Amino acid sequence: MINFKNVKTGEIKTASSLREEGDKIYIRFSLDGKEYGYNKNNIEVIDSDATELPFRVYTYAKDCYRCHKQTEILTYITYVDIPTDDVLFPCDYDRLNKHQNIFAHMQDPSIEYYGINVIGDIEEFDYMLMEKYPDRIKNCYSKTKNKIYPMNACCHCGTGQGWYFVYRDINEIIKNGAKLELYSCNSKMKV
Ligand SMILES: [Zn+2]
């Protein structure tokens, strides 16, 4: 499987096969599916290994809200205006504030509600994370969202650490000017 980005829309998709001919790239989404032609300039091949992720994976230690022991959280952190753009450190605070969820911040001024996506925000990314780290990321039920979605499972008790906890933590880390660590050298490095 090959991951590629449609540069025009920012969408990331997975192709079954991909071939170049002249100024076109022909993509098949399934083994014997129809072939679609794209202008070569609009396609950016991200990797040719389905286990690589098209975003950076950050990690931090967190106390599990149920058993209170320390576990490790994995998440992507991307900008809401372009969800495929990783938030890099030091952060671009102008951009984070420009897309701040002001309404949520007014209701709950305890965090900034920066314009970021974390695990639980982008379904496609969540499933990619779960596929890559099945022992760490599991489908769990969330009362807050009233649905089942991939979450970091506590390494002690297995409880899913839901979106809200991670979103809160990342907001606090960013506000404090702290830097998050990259989890894996296998995740795609972008400079
Ligand atoms: Zn726990």
Side-chain angles (χ1 to χ4, degrees):
M1 303 299 261
I2 303 155
N3 293 327
F4 69 93
K5 183 168 164 181
N6 184 331
V7 179
K8 268 185 160 173
T9 61
E11 268 181 308
I12 291 170
K13 290 192 167 172
T14 303
S16 165
S17 69
L18 185 148
R19 68 179 175 89
E20 222 177 295
E21 196 183 301
D23 58 356
K24 291 228 161 195
I25 284 183
Y26 293 92
I27 292 169
R28 265 187 231 278
F29 291 93
S30 58
L31 211 58
D32 44 11
K34 187 174 180 282
E35 207 173 43
Y36 294 87
Y38 291 83
N39 187 322
K40 207 158 103 179
N41 297 329
N42 293 336
I43 298 296
E44 184 188 312
V45 176
I46 295 168
D47 60 67
S48 53
D49 173 359
T51 62
E52 278 202 22
L53 298 169
F55 46 80
R56 288 181 175 221
V57 180
Y58 288 105
T59 183
Y60 70 96
K62 166 175 193 53
D63 289 342
C64 167
Y65 77 90
R66 181 158 292 165
C67 74
H68 305 292
K69 289 182 189 159
Q70 197 173 78
T71 185
E72 201 179 33
I73 301 291
L74 305 183
T75 183
Y76 50 86
I77 310 170
T78 67
Y79 288 100
V80 287
D81 53 326
I82 304 176
T84 50
D85 266 14
D86 292 309
V87 171
L88 305 178
F89 294 86
C91 303
D92 180 346
Y93 287 94
D94 289 343
R95 189 168 172 191
L96 292 167
N97 283 316
K98 190 175 167 195
H99 301 281
Q100 181 190 29
N101 186 341
I102 291 164
F103 183 71
H105 177 64
M106 277 161 60
Q107 300 242 311
D108 168 20
S110 67
I111 58 167
E112 296 302 312
Y113 289 89
Y114 291 124
I116 52 170
N117 300 301
V118 300
I119 181 168
D121 279 316
I122 305 173
E123 207 175 24
E124 197 180 352
F125 287 8
D126 296 344
Y127 282 95
M128 284 182 195
L129 265 180
M130 190 162 64
E131 197 173 298
K132 176 141 186 175
Y133 305 109
D135 299 335
R136 310 278 307 258
I137 313 288
K138 296 184 176 167
N139 260 322
C140 303
Y141 173 72
S142 155
K143 254 192 221 164
T144 320
K145 290 201 173 195
N146 189 28
K147 67 171 189 176
I148 291 168
Y149 66 92
M151 294 180 201
N152 284 270
C154 169
C155 62
H156 307 283
C157 71
T159 303
Q161 316 287 310
W163 169 84
Y164 182 70
F165 296 100
V166 177
Y167 182 75
R168 268 202 88 83
D169 290 343
I170 301 294
N171 266 270
E172 281 168 4
I173 290 166
I174 290 176
K175 190 174 184 193
N176 294 335
K179 194 175 176 289
L180 275 161
E181 279 177 34
L182 282 174
Y183 175 63
S184 165
C185 55
N186 295 328
S187 60
K188 190 172 164 63
M189 299 295 289
K190 286 183 248 171
V191 181

